[in-house]
Amino acid sequence: MSRYNTFKYSEQKYGASSPATLLWALEIDWDGDGVFDGSNEAGLLTNVSVQRGRDFYLKSDGSGFEPVTVGQLSMILDNDDGRFDAFNTSSPIYPIAPGRFVRLRVKDGDDFHPVFAGRISDIRPISSSRPKQVRITAVDGGQALQDVDVSIDIQETIGLDDAIRMILTTAEWPTSWGTDIDVSADYLPYWWASGKTAIQAIQELSDAGLGVFFIAADGSAKYYSRHHISAPVISVTQADLKKDVSVNQPWDVVRNKVSIVAYPRLLESSTDLWQLWDKPLIPAGATVELWATFTYGGKNVPAINLIDPVATTDYLANTLENGTGTNLTGSFVINLYPFSEVAKLSIKNNSESDGYLTFLKLRGQPISAPDPVTVISDDLASQALYGVRRFTLDSTWVQSTNTALDFVNFLKTYLSSPRAFPVIQIEKRPELQFA
């Protein structure tokens, strides 16, 4: 393929022609208004590489599925006129900064093929010896989901796909980036998110449904359930690939001892979830915030139906630390803000005296998983041939033993026999990549 800077739209804008060759479009929203105006930087490209997806279906140690990594775009561009120099106030794209939206596409006739979409993460000269070139690096939306934590209250009987959508909404996924979430047949009796990154929370759900979540080439967030059927778009033969094929050894992918851990959940009766074991001093008129972590049976648990603290029943306050002196309980106001596994307590001393909070507890209904169950399935014939090769899925969102039984039998059948999983070269071969 020719160098990228031979591929342009007429001048620097989209043309109305239908050229016989592939044309590249590199669009960057330099002014940050969220709109691509048609300006094309592809004429300055000298090198580009894209990394997306995952290399393996399973983790090498068999402890679950390999997650899809954050996609990355790396480009080298000519910078003879200082267009991409962050200190060049005369640049037509000044101010130059990371965070701008970028998309790379290929135009074939009247059709556009997305290659990458995301945000710029870095712009810098290649080196002091090559200041006339810059490297622009971009990351896809997976990075945005990795950079934000989400906390979502407990949801009851929620579809796995709805939970993923809720995470994307909480993480403020831009609607302009798009989503494509398969409807899932899996419903979770209880689900919540507490202090995890958005991508981690989604990956846990995806694993529990034997699905896959990824950021597509067009920048959209996609979830494919285990029932997803992808239609082939091109047939590739050995004649097309020549020697550009690598195949794993059979035992690289075989897993013949499959274990699934399930966590059946129980909604317990209302009980004490947390207690304060020291006696903080709260000055007159002051407000302090405390965070309580729920426990039940010696384990951290989520909880619902928390009870607002009741004076004398759930808290006491006195002028002296030993509980004597003047009783200030009636002058203390405690506001409760419950989350899934924790609660924030805002405590105000409305009296004219400094006071000790001598007793404080929280009550509510814990959701426990008292007896996790492990389901194991062995393929003895495969073990005799390849040895024991393990795969374990330990997910808190597998909450049914029946689901674990279905999954373990499916995965044993799928993983116990060798599969080729060929690795073929498609990118940088436009006759195949954009056919």
Side-chain angles (χ1 to χ4, degrees), residues 106-187:
V106 166
K107 186 171 186 283
D108 181 12
D110 293 327
D111 297 325
F112 281 99
H113 301 281
V115 177
F116 188 90
R119 289 181 184 268
I120 292 175
S121 58
D122 192 33
I123 307 169
R124 66 185 58 243
I126 293 296
S127 67
S128 58
S129 61
R130 294 162 63 190
K132 298 300 185 181
Q133 289 185 315
V134 296
R135 184 186 301 278
I136 297 180
T137 305
V139 290
D140 68 16
Q143 185 66 53
L145 295 175
Q146 189 168 287
D147 290 341
V148 62
D149 292 341
V150 293
S151 292
I152 299 174
D153 289 341
I154 294 174
Q155 309 295 311
E156 299 183 54
T157 316
I158 182 173
L160 189 149
D161 54 310
D162 289 330
I164 292 176
R165 291 188 188 92
M166 189 172 289
I167 294 171
L168 292 172
T169 299
T170 303
E172 298 182 348
W173 180 260
T175 55
S176 60
W177 289 9
T179 58
D180 181 11
I181 311 298
D182 277 357
V183 175
S184 174
D186 300 306
Y187 281 82

Side-chain angles (χ1 to χ4, degrees), residues 116-390:
F116 188 90
R119 289 181 184 268
I120 292 175
S121 58
D122 192 33
I123 307 169
R124 66 185 58 243
I126 293 296
S127 67
S128 58
S129 61
R130 294 162 63 190
K132 298 300 185 181
Q133 289 185 315
V134 296
R135 184 186 301 278
I136 297 180
T137 305
V139 290
D140 68 16
Q143 185 66 53
L145 295 175
Q146 189 168 287
D147 290 341
V148 62
D149 292 341
V150 293
S151 292
I152 299 174
D153 289 341
I154 294 174
Q155 309 295 311
E156 299 183 54
T157 316
I158 182 173
L160 189 149
D161 54 310
D162 289 330
I164 292 176
R165 291 188 188 92
M166 189 172 289
I167 294 171
L168 292 172
T169 299
T170 303
E172 298 182 348
W173 180 260
T175 55
S176 60
W177 289 9
T179 58
D180 181 11
I181 311 298
D182 277 357
V183 175
S184 174
D186 300 306
Y187 281 82
L188 306 177
Y190 300 99
W191 173 78
W192 64 95
S194 179
K196 296 186 176 182
T197 66
I199 194 66
Q200 182 183 4
I202 291 175
Q203 187 62 48
E204 290 178 352
L205 288 167
S206 178
D207 288 351
L210 306 188
V212 59
F213 177 84
F214 62 98
I215 307 301
D218 64 1
S220 61
K222 296 194 175 188
Y223 170 71
Y224 286 171
S225 76
R226 64 183 180 277
H227 303 296
H228 184 90
I229 299 175
S230 296
V233 295
I234 186 173
S235 296
V236 180
T237 68
Q238 182 68 47
D240 298 313
L241 299 171
K242 300 180 176 62
K243 296 181 179 180
D244 295 330
V245 183
S246 63
V247 180
N248 53 266
Q249 295 300 308
W251 47 86
D252 291 337
V253 295
V254 165
R255 294 291 183 268
N256 48 37
K257 188 178 188 69
V258 178
S259 304
I260 307 290
V261 183
Y263 294 84
R265 295 278 172 177
L266 294 178
L267 179 61
E268 307 285 354
S269 300
S270 185
T271 187
D272 293 351
L273 297 172
W274 173 86
Q275 184 169 332
L276 182 65
W277 292 103
D278 60 357
K279 301 173 182 180
L281 176 65
I282 301 178
T287 300
V288 299
E289 288 185 357
L290 302 178
W291 286 83
T293 300
F294 310 144
T295 61
Y296 180 78
K299 299 178 181 179
N300 292 344
V301 294
I304 61 175
N305 300 327
L306 267 71
I307 299 172
D308 289 325
V310 177
T312 69
T313 300
D314 297 307
Y315 65 93
L316 296 170
N318 298 82
T319 54
L320 297 179
E321 187 175 5
N322 63 6
T324 61
T326 303
N327 188 333
L328 301 178
T329 303
S331 298
F332 272 56
V333 175
I334 299 181
N335 291 314
L336 171 67
Y337 304 93
F339 299 93
S340 54
E341 298 175 326
V342 299
K344 182 177 79 172
L345 293 161
S346 176
I347 306 161
K348 185 174 183 180
N349 179 359
N350 284 324
S351 75
E352 298 180 355
S353 303
D354 296 347
Y356 289 91
L357 191 63
T358 58
F359 174 70
L360 176 61
K361 71 176 182 179
L362 286 180
R363 293 174 290 154
Q365 289 186 267
I367 300 171
S368 69
D371 297 299
V373 57
T374 301
V375 181
I376 301 174
S377 185
D378 294 273
D379 189 308
L380 299 180
S382 177
Q383 291 177 7
L385 186 57
Y386 300 110
V388 176
R389 304 184 68 80
R390 300 175 183 273

